[in-house]
Every structure is written in C-alpha cells, then in structure tokens.
C-alpha cells in the first residue's frame, strides 16, 4: 500500500531529514578521522545529551572533534593545542598568530582556550556538506601539525 503525500506530515519529514543527517554526519566524521589518524589513535566518547567527542593523533598533534548534537543549530567544532601558555615574548607571539589568522588559516583560526594556544574551527550543522566536514577537520589538523613545533621552539617555556 502506497503512502499518500497527505499522510506525510511536516513533522515526520523533519524527523526523517534529521535522522538522515545524523547518520551522515557521524559517518562522515568517522570516515575523515579514519583517513587522517595515525597508529590507531582514534577514540570517541558520547554524552548522554547525544553529543560526540573524538580524539586522534595527526603528526605531532592531538586533534579533537566535537559534535554537540544532530539538529541544524548544533555545532561541529574541531581544535588542536599547539602551545601551552605562558610563553616567551607573548606580544610577538600574539602578533604572529594574528598575522597567521589573516594569511594562512582558511576557515580555522588561532585562539586561546584555558591557557593553551589552539587552532580551532566551528560550524553549525545547518546545510553542512560532507566536503565541509572533511575540509574543517583536515585544515585544523594540518595547520596545527605544520605550526606546533615551530611555535613551541620559538615561544615555548620548557
């Protein structure tokens, strides 16, 4: 028996779309991490609220990927620590990070979280394509790996 168009309510369609997006986002994130991670380093945890947090090793950095949920308003955040603070010559460090933000971080940026310099990118799930998921994770991992050792060498305090 065929289901008529009238029987499909807007709410049902929204739930169906949301379920499809959930499966896609989780699968896409896990596929990207599988392609980037090294030494079987990937780990994932799930919160009771439906969020997920992945951690994996890429080059010399650890990369974190957080998915807060599955609605359009939920977010995908990717970050990696590149330097612990305090640092030597912090004014010079801040200037260098701002210059990098303008010239070479694409959709990511350098920032500070809990006395750590990070490379970070965040995006809501609304209209987020598989290519964007892959790009965000890859950009953060690559920029962090390309900059962590130089930043630690020049500005790190042993």
């Amino acid at each position: 028996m065929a289901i008529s168009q009238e029987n499909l309510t807007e709410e049902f369609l929204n739930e169906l779309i949301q379920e499809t997006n959930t499966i896609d986002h989780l699968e896409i994130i896990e596929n990207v991490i599988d392609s980037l991670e090294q030494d079987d380093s990937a780990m994932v945890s799930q919160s009771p609220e439906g969020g997920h947090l992945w951690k994996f090793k890429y080059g010399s950095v650890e990369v974190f990927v957080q998915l807060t949920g599955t609605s359009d308003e939920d977010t995908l955040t990717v970050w990696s620590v590149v330097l612990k603070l305090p640092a030597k010559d912090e004014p010079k460090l801040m200037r260098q990070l701002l210059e990098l933000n303008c010239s070479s971080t694409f959709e990511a940026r350098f920032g500070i979280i809990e006395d750590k310099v990070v490379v970070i990118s965040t995006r809501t799930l609304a209209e987020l394509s598989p290519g964007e998921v892959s790009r965000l994770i890859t950009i953060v991992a690559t920029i962090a790996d390309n900059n962590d050792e130089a930043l630690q060498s020049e500005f790190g305090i042993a």
Side-chain angles (χ1 to χ4, degrees), residues 4 7 15 39 44 52 67 82 86 110 112 114 139 148 157:
S4 69
N7 290 343
E15 285 178 27
D39 305 323
V44 63
H52 291 78
L67 184 64
V82 293
F110 285 95
I112 297 174
E114 297 176 358
I139 284 173
D148 68 317
I157 297 176

Side-chain angles (χ1 to χ4, degrees), residues 55-122:
K55 176 175 88 169
F56 68 96
K57 184 94 170 140
Y58 182 80
S60 56
V61 296
E62 282 188 332
V63 180
F64 296 86
V65 180
Q66 182 179 36
L67 184 64
T68 60
T70 59
S71 73
D72 281 353
E73 294 79 31
D74 284 306
T75 58
L76 171 66
T77 303
V78 184
W79 74 94
S80 181
V81 175
V82 293
L83 178 67
K84 292 181 181 174
L85 297 174
K88 292 184 247 172
D89 199 354
E90 285 194 19
K92 182 179 177 186
L93 169 64
M94 296 307 145
R95 180 180 180 95
Q96 185 171 331
L97 295 176
L98 283 172
E99 288 171 352
L100 288 169
N101 278 349
C102 279
S103 65
S104 62
T105 56
F106 305 101
E107 293 86 354
R109 64 198 177 279
F110 285 95
I112 297 174
I113 299 174
E114 297 176 358
D115 290 328
K116 295 176 185 121
V117 176
V118 298
V119 178
I120 189 168
S121 186
T122 190

Side-chain angles (χ1 to χ4, degrees), residues 14 19 21 37 47 79 93 114 130 141 144 151:
N14 288 338
E19 286 177 22
N21 287 342
E37 67 145 341
S47 71
W79 74 94
L93 169 64
E114 297 176 358
L151 290 171

Side-chain angles (χ1 to χ4, degrees), residues 18 21 26-27 33 41 46 50 68 91 96 111-113 127 133 136 140 142 148 151 158:
Q18 186 173 357
N21 287 342
L26 293 174
E27 279 184 40
I33 290 171
S41 61
Q46 186 171 0
T68 60
Q96 185 171 331
I112 297 174
I113 299 174
E127 300 178 25
V133 171
L136 289 179
V140 169
T142 302
D148 68 317
L151 290 171

